[in-house]
Amino acid sequence: MKQQHVPVTVKPNRERQHRMTAAVLSVVLQGLGQLYNRQWIKGICFLILEGIGLAYLIPRLNQAVWGVWTLGEQTQRFVKVNGSTVLQQGDHSIFLLLNGIIVLLVFFVFLLLYIFNIRDAYLTGKLREEGKQASRASASLRYLLDKQFPYLFLSIPALGILFFTIMPILFTITLAFTNYSAPDHIPPAKLVDWVGFKTFTDLIQLKSWSHTFFGVLTWTVIWAILATVTTYFGGVLVALLIEQKGIRFKKVWRTIFILPYAIPQIISLLLMRNLFNGQFGPINTYMKAFGLEGLPWLTDPFWAKVTVILVNMWIGIPVSMVLILGVLTAIPRDLYEAAEVDGASAFQKFRIITLPFIMFATTPVLIMQFAGNFNNFNVIFLLTNGNPLRGDYQYAGSTDLLVTWLYKLTLDNNKFNMASAVGIIIFLIIASFSIWNFRRSKSFKEEDMIQ
Amino acid sequence: MKKRNNPMRLTISYALLVIIAIVSVYPVLWIFLSSLRPGAALYSERLWPEAFTLAHYGELFTNPSFMYGTWYLNTLKIAFFTMIFSTLMVTLGMYALSRFRFRGRKTILSTMLILGMFPSFMSMIAIYIILLQIKLLDTHAALILVYSSGAVLGGFIVKGFFDTIPRSLDEAARIDGASHLRVFTSIILPLSRPMLTYVALTSFTGAWMDFIFARLVLRTKENWTLAVGMWDLVNRYQDSNFTMFAAGAVLIAIPITLLFVFLQRFLVQGLTSGASKG
């Protein structure tokens, strides 16, 4: 719509009223301001949305706030009705909490919409005061498809993330501040209560819990470092080995070495579990054939840890190898030629050119791999299941990482509050690590400079 | 400059390469040969069986306590639909985040990164309860829904790829009057075929292999996926039914492995573009 510079004939103080009137009308009833601005379709859309919102929220909001606040007041109990005993349903704290969070989230979305509606009415009113025509529905639609295009594209994934990622995380975080755990606070038989930071202080202060927590944490950190370093430098080594001058059939070697990565992890890990079987597994069979004792691969705490690292190398080195091979091809040839002119030895060339280049290009990946190993559920769970057991630990074994411990706390032992607290701690460690890494990486600082 | 080819160094290198090759291949060969070995035991004195049999493969599909065929179809179905929806969601979302500068963009990027760092099953109980309430528990739709809606969080590699497509291309098309949608479908999509293949492949294999979530959601044996079924087999029978496990493992691994080897170069591309751009 072309803007025309026609002198405005309306009086100044009448002008101011458009935006105020529209905004106030929109405060009173969502969409009314748009109708006042003669944006009929938009106004009706807003009105309908408000209707849906109110119809959804009015019967639920009160209950939701009550539910989240109290987590229920009555347990289920037996009541005598006409001489026979009947089980009367009580409040289910967890359903109350989750439903409450859902309703509050919906409320939040509508609140945003409501604010948007007021702002929109105000701005359109202002446009009218300046003598410009308010845009019509078709123009709005075109505007939506043009300028608001990214929002349109993002809205579908955003909805999925809201319901299946954000909300569950919110819910789980809140659990850490309740006493939702077996045996005393499992609904529907019992109620759950808010306990504040008690779960966290228990985790640090109670001897039985803190011993397990720090023990598992220490092993998790050691594991994450070892797993990352072994696979990374293993990958560098293999890649350099293949790329050496004079090695033939480079492609064949590469294809063979990539094989462990290509096999689905669940298969290779279950396979390894059999391979390292202390009694019947082929590894011990061969060792015995050479007159050796054979090792308690999966049953001894120390050897179980060694096995986990070894198996992880088998799975992880191919990934690093592929990555490093890619990086190697990007090193400018003339660097090497210059070095050769200066009479550098093979090792010097590696130390001065190759290694710094690889390190520079792959540090972000290295750090992400560390974070991934910190949470490497599959390797531990499928290979050792955290075993061998430890008597002095609370529900954890010698090879359990924080994540697998979390899993056991949740699904096997119903210690939901403790599991949530552990989850929050894992998150804090990983998140601080990764955000620091992300912020210093190129992609965040200069992403527009690539082109 | 003369080319020195130290024979000593080369010999050692070849020896190392052969050793690594053996280590890489041995477990695979072992499981394959085990699947052809008569009997059911894990223990065997030699790698190469004295006799070969295909009975274990047949047994997979005929053994009534073991619904391998059903699980295979289930897994295929789930993985296929997850692949379609995830690829769609990731491309849409990441295209918007890569190409447009709009308010809240950096916030969205950071939020996504942070969300991706929560241990995934920290949210499992909540998802379990939600699925229970919307009556999707023990259905395949639930798995597909949850897998695909989480996929966007892992899409940074795609964004990195879109970032490298010169913006002058779509600007020119815009000047010629093409709509955003049209630019997306006729310029960006064809250019990013390798990346799309990579995403489709990883989401397919991701759903194909996922174990944790599938075990939580799928309660009845007919609805299980291969991962859950195979885990159950190893966990319950340990070494008494090993050859059947081996046969099952071979049938699961072969298609995925072939796909991977075939699509290696996309993999390399994906990993390296992820490397240089975080």
Side-chain angles (χ1 to χ4, degrees):
Chain A
M1 230 134 292
K2 265 248 165 77
Q3 171 194 341
Q4 285 175 356
H5 291 276
V6 183
V8 187
T9 49
V10 210
K11 274 177 271 165
N13 54 353
R14 168 125 182 79
E15 277 171 29
R16 184 161 299 132
Q17 275 184 340
H18 275 318
R19 62 178 123 161
M20 283 323 287
T21 319
V24 168
L25 279 171
S26 268
V27 171
V28 173
L29 192 61
Q30 176 173 303
L32 220 56
Q34 279 75 11
L35 291 179
Y36 169 79
N37 285 334
R38 300 194 199 104
Q39 293 180 309
W40 307 116
I41 297 181
K42 203 193 224 176
I44 289 169
C45 285
F46 270 124
L47 270 174
I48 293 172
L49 279 176
E50 164 129 44
I52 297 172
L54 290 180
Y56 176 83
L57 286 173
I58 287 175
R60 291 180 179 82
L61 197 57
N62 200 6
Q63 168 86 2
V65 173
W66 169 83
V68 171
W69 185 255
T70 62
L71 292 181
E73 285 163 343
Q74 283 201 329
T75 51
Q76 65 181 19
R77 62 211 156 118
F78 291 97
V79 193
K80 287 231 162 158
V81 181
N82 301 334
S84 61
T85 320
V86 181
L87 180 70
Q88 193 185 38
Q89 289 297 323
D91 299 325
H92 192 300
S93 305
I94 293 311
F95 287 171
L96 282 176
L97 179 60
L98 188 71
N99 281 331
I101 290 178
I102 295 176
V103 173
L104 289 178
L105 263 183
V106 173
F107 175 69
F108 180 70
V109 171
F110 273 98
L111 205 63
L112 280 182
L113 192 72
Y114 183 64
I115 293 170
F116 174 73
N117 138 70
I118 297 170
R119 193 169 158 268
D120 178 74
Y122 178 84
L123 288 177
T124 318
K126 203 168 149 197
L127 273 184
R128 284 177 66 195
E129 286 164 25
E130 286 160 7
K132 294 171 195 161
Q133 192 118 32
S135 57
R136 303 159 53 124
S138 58
S140 295
L141 193 67
R142 214 170 323 121
Y143 176 74
L144 190 70
L145 279 178
D146 199 43
K147 288 287 180 314
Q148 307 294 90
F149 193 73
Y151 295 112
L152 203 68
F153 254 33
L154 279 174
S155 58
I156 306 165
L159 220 61
I161 289 183
L162 185 70
F163 274 93
F164 289 105
T165 309
I166 296 182
M167 200 196 18
I169 288 174
L170 282 179
F171 171 73
T172 319
I173 290 175
T174 57
L175 285 188
F177 301 94
T178 68
N179 55 9
Y180 182 24
S181 68
D184 292 330
H185 297 282
I186 296 293
K190 302 276 175 54
L191 288 176
V192 175
D193 289 309
W194 293 109
V195 294
F197 282 93
K198 189 172 175 302
T199 316
F200 289 91
T201 48
D202 281 356
L203 188 60
I204 307 294
Q205 283 170 353
L206 282 188
K207 190 86 183 76
S208 55
W209 282 106
S210 68
H211 176 64
T212 318
F213 175 67
F214 288 114
V216 174
L217 177 67
T218 315
W219 161 238
T220 308
V221 172
I222 294 175
W223 146 262
I225 293 173
L226 281 180
T228 312
V229 168
T230 50
T231 52
Y232 183 78
F233 287 102
V236 172
L237 222 66
V238 178
L240 288 176
L241 212 55
I242 300 178
E243 287 299 303
Q244 271 183 102
K245 247 186 225 162
I247 295 287
R248 308 190 57 188
F249 312 118
K250 290 191 163 74
K251 218 173 172 176
V252 177
W253 294 117
R254 207 175 69 183
T255 312
I256 294 176
F257 295 165
I258 215 170
L259 202 64
Y261 181 46
I263 297 169
Q265 257 195 22
I266 175 143
I267 294 303
S268 46
L269 287 166
L270 291 177
L271 160 77
M272 289 292 181
R273 190 151 137 179
N274 287 309
L275 202 64
F276 281 98
N277 185 310
Q279 248 181 309
F280 310 108
I283 292 197
N284 272 357
T285 313
Y286 294 138
M287 285 177 84
K288 277 172 197 149
F290 283 106
L292 293 164
E293 275 279 304
L295 287 166
W297 292 107
L298 295 168
T299 43
D300 175 78
F302 173 75
W303 285 108
K305 289 177 181 176
V306 174
T307 314
V308 174
I309 301 266
L310 282 178
V311 170
N312 186 61
M313 281 171 77
W314 190 78
I315 294 174
I317 286 182
V319 191
S320 307
M321 180 197 77
V322 170
L323 175 67
I324 308 272
L325 281 174
V327 175
L328 282 178
T329 57
I331 304 181
R333 291 287 111 198
D334 46 344
L335 281 182
Y336 287 111
E337 280 160 23
E340 267 164 33
V341 171
D342 288 345
S345 71
F347 180 70
Q348 277 172 325
K349 277 188 280 181
F350 169 72
R351 203 171 55 94
I352 296 166
I353 305 171
T354 319
L355 194 64
F357 199 93
I358 296 177
M359 291 300 282
F360 175 76
T362 53
T363 321
V365 178
L366 198 62
I367 293 175
M368 283 322 273
Q369 274 177 358
F370 176 84
N373 277 324
F374 203 89
N375 278 338
N376 202 330
F377 183 88
N378 273 357
V379 171
I380 302 294
F381 187 83
L382 294 174
L383 195 63
T384 65
N385 196 6
N387 292 331
L389 279 169
R390 278 188 66 152
D392 56 337
Y393 272 6
Q394 295 269 30
Y395 316 107
S398 311
T399 52
D400 262 321
L401 302 179
L402 284 176
V403 252
T404 51
W405 186 39
L406 175 82
Y407 181 88
K408 287 181 177 173
L409 284 176
T410 314
L411 287 170
D412 302 340
N413 302 295
N414 295 342
K415 300 278 180 198
F416 297 103
N417 59 344
M418 211 42 105
S420 303
V422 172
I424 292 173
I425 291 171
I426 297 178
F427 165 73
L428 288 179
I429 296 173
I430 295 298
S432 44
F433 211 73
S434 311
I435 289 172
W436 168 73
N437 178 41
F438 183 62
R439 286 206 166 270
R440 56 180 278 289
S441 80
K442 271 201 187 124
S443 86
F444 196 72
K445 279 189 207 146
E446 1 170 334
E447 66 186 332
D448 283 328
M449 289 166 67
I450 288 164
Q451 296 169 21
Chain B
M1 242 177 309
K2 75 171 188 279
K3 211 172 169 184
R4 282 173 305 160
N5 245 341
N6 191 340
M8 181 68 179
R9 198 194 70 202
L10 274 187
T11 321
I12 295 176
S13 301
Y14 275 117
L16 278 175
L17 285 172
V18 170
I19 292 173
I20 300 172
I22 291 173
V23 173
S24 305
V25 172
Y26 175 77
V28 184
L29 196 65
W30 176 64
I31 198 94
F32 180 65
L33 291 173
S34 298
S35 73
L36 298 172
R37 206 174 59 211
L42 169 60
Y43 179 79
S44 143
E45 266 188 28
R46 56 189 78 227
L47 175 64
W48 204 262
E50 283 164 339
F52 289 93
T53 169
L54 283 174
H56 305 305
Y57 288 92
E59 204 184 338
L60 281 179
F61 295 93
T62 51
N63 190 329
S65 68
F66 196 67
M67 302 183 207
Y68 193 82
T70 323
W71 297 341
Y72 214 98
L73 288 180
N74 288 346
T75 317
L76 210 58
K77 182 175 96 185
I78 294 170
F80 178 75
F81 283 108
T82 306
M83 176 180 80
I84 303 280
F85 291 126
S86 304
T87 315
L88 199 72
M89 300 266 254
V90 171
T91 359
L92 288 185
M94 286 304 154
Y95 175 64
L97 286 171
S98 158
R99 268 303 190 268
F100 298 90
R101 297 290 173 268
F102 51 92
R103 275 182 53 201
R105 176 173 165 280
K106 286 242 152 141
T107 320
I108 292 178
L109 281 175
S110 312
T111 315
M112 283 174 56
L113 204 77
I114 294 170
L115 287 177
M117 281 167 226
F118 270 97
S120 59
F121 49 79
M122 201 175 145
S123 48
M124 276 199 336
I125 311 161
I127 294 184
Y128 182 85
I129 300 175
I130 296 170
L131 292 175
L132 181 76
Q133 300 226 329
I134 54 178
K135 307 231 161 16
L136 277 181
L137 212 57
D138 200 21
T139 61
H140 297 151
L143 284 182
I144 297 169
L145 197 67
V146 175
Y147 290 149
S148 355
S149 56
V152 189
L153 294 177
F156 280 94
I157 285 180
V158 184
K159 179 181 164 294
F161 186 87
F162 283 152
D163 283 344
T164 59
I165 299 177
R167 204 168 291 167
S168 52
L169 280 181
D170 31 315
E171 270 157 16
R174 291 283 294 157
I175 290 168
D176 289 347
S179 69
H180 281 308
L181 202 64
R182 173 134 184 139
V183 171
F184 179 67
T185 49
S186 42
I187 295 180
I188 304 292
L189 280 189
L191 278 178
S192 44
R193 205 174 297 143
M195 203 58 212
L196 293 184
T197 320
Y198 173 77
V199 174
L201 179 70
T202 45
S203 53
F204 184 88
T205 49
W208 181 276
M209 294 185 291
D210 176 68
F211 161 76
I212 316 169
F213 195 69
R215 179 161 172 251
L216 179 81
V217 171
L218 304 174
R219 315 305 287 185
T220 45
K221 211 169 176 179
E222 305 87 70
N223 282 339
W224 277 0
T225 59
L226 285 172
V228 183
M230 294 301 278
W231 181 80
D232 185 65
L233 186 72
V234 171
N235 225 32
R236 227 163 359 139
Y237 304 105
Q238 191 66 1
D239 29 63
S240 60
N241 227 335
F242 175 70
T243 42
M244 201 161 103
F245 164 78
V250 169
L251 284 192
I252 298 174
I254 281 181
I256 296 286
T257 310
L258 285 182
L259 209 62
F260 249 97
V261 172
F262 178 64
L263 293 169
Q264 273 195 52
R265 61 201 172 94
F266 296 131
L267 192 87
V268 176
Q269 226 162 25
L271 278 171
T272 41
S273 72
S276 55
K277 288 170 216 77

